Amino acid sequence: MTEHYFKNALSITSTQFANLPLASNSILLFNAKTLELSDFNLPDCLSLFELAIINRRKSPQAKQEYLATRLLLKHLIKITQPQHALVALNKMSTEFDEASSKLQIHVSDDVINTCISHSHGLVGVALNLGKSEFGFDIEKVSLKRPFEKLAKHFYHNDEITLITMPTNTQAQADTFFRIWTLKESLAKATSRPIAKLLSPNVFDELHSAKLSASSNRVTVADSSGSNVCFDISVVHKKSTDWRCFLLTDFVK
């Protein structure tokens, strides 16, 4: 029943920004740690609301992730919505809507649902133009996390069995983080608090919600040249097909 959730079927393609296809069901991934904040004039890139948010971020990485996600969303608007192609970046604004639990981007008279995720510098963004059930999540696969202890404290017994079944640590970690990204993605797709999806069996929840899920892993080099692995899952309506594009450059 659960095997197909671990087949790494999600399409992830490395590409330059200029070569992006004009598909609306696209998730853009980017290593925000490679951004130099000094290369950007923030008042030209961000709305007044967004400037206030980024100025409250303390760490450079948090600022990098915030700027990268907002600029990528705005450029996705420009390439997928021709009517907004000439709108200045600082005239678009991303704001979280408490009623729908969605991050929305306001551009001209339109309000468009979005989805973002970030983990240890790797960011992902997508537009949800159809306002359908959709969510995705990124999580760094870390062998240092006490994932077996966390699973036994939070996860469903069937999920714990899947995690502890392999004998090697890497396989256990891969299973733990796959279940985690599926839970986070389902929470975003259904606008449910993640706290309410930790203990239920995520595979049963996906089946009950009649939603599809696909996942994969991507490896990104960190500042020291070491490879860092991230797990990515997407939950969506069965009639849609989402693809990920790992950007090798950034648009300014």
Side-chain angles (χ1 to χ4, degrees), residues 144-204:
K144 296 180 180 179
R145 293 278 295 276
F147 47 84
E148 184 174 343
K149 179 180 179 181
L150 290 170
K152 289 180 177 179
H153 185 73
F154 291 109
Y155 282 8
H156 188 277
N157 284 337
D158 291 344
E159 297 169 338
I160 297 170
T161 299
L162 285 174
I163 293 165
T164 56
M165 189 182 305
T167 56
N168 71 85
T169 303
Q170 184 66 62
Q172 291 177 349
D174 290 343
T175 305
F176 173 87
F177 287 105
R178 175 59 49 83
I179 293 172
W180 177 264
T181 58
L182 287 170
K183 287 178 183 284
E184 284 276 14
S185 300
L186 179 60
K188 294 176 182 179
T190 57
S191 299
R192 296 165 66 185
I194 183 61
K196 293 189 176 181
L197 285 169
L198 288 176
S199 58
N201 184 317
V202 69
F203 310 109
D204 291 342

Side-chain angles (χ1 to χ4, degrees), residues 30-77:
F30 181 71
N31 182 4
K33 288 185 177 180
T34 63
L35 278 191
E36 289 291 342
L37 294 173
S38 59
D39 289 342
F40 297 86
N41 183 29
L42 296 186
D44 290 340
C45 303
L46 304 175
S47 68
L48 292 176
F49 176 83
E50 293 168 331
L51 282 172
I53 299 294
I54 197 172
N55 286 333
R56 292 202 294 267
R57 298 286 192 266
K58 300 300 182 184
S59 74
Q61 180 178 304
K63 291 178 181 288
Q64 289 170 319
E65 291 176 348
Y66 187 88
L67 179 62
T69 54
R70 272 54 188 182
L71 285 180
L72 288 174
L73 283 172
K74 293 176 183 185
H75 283 291
L76 258 184
I77 291 283

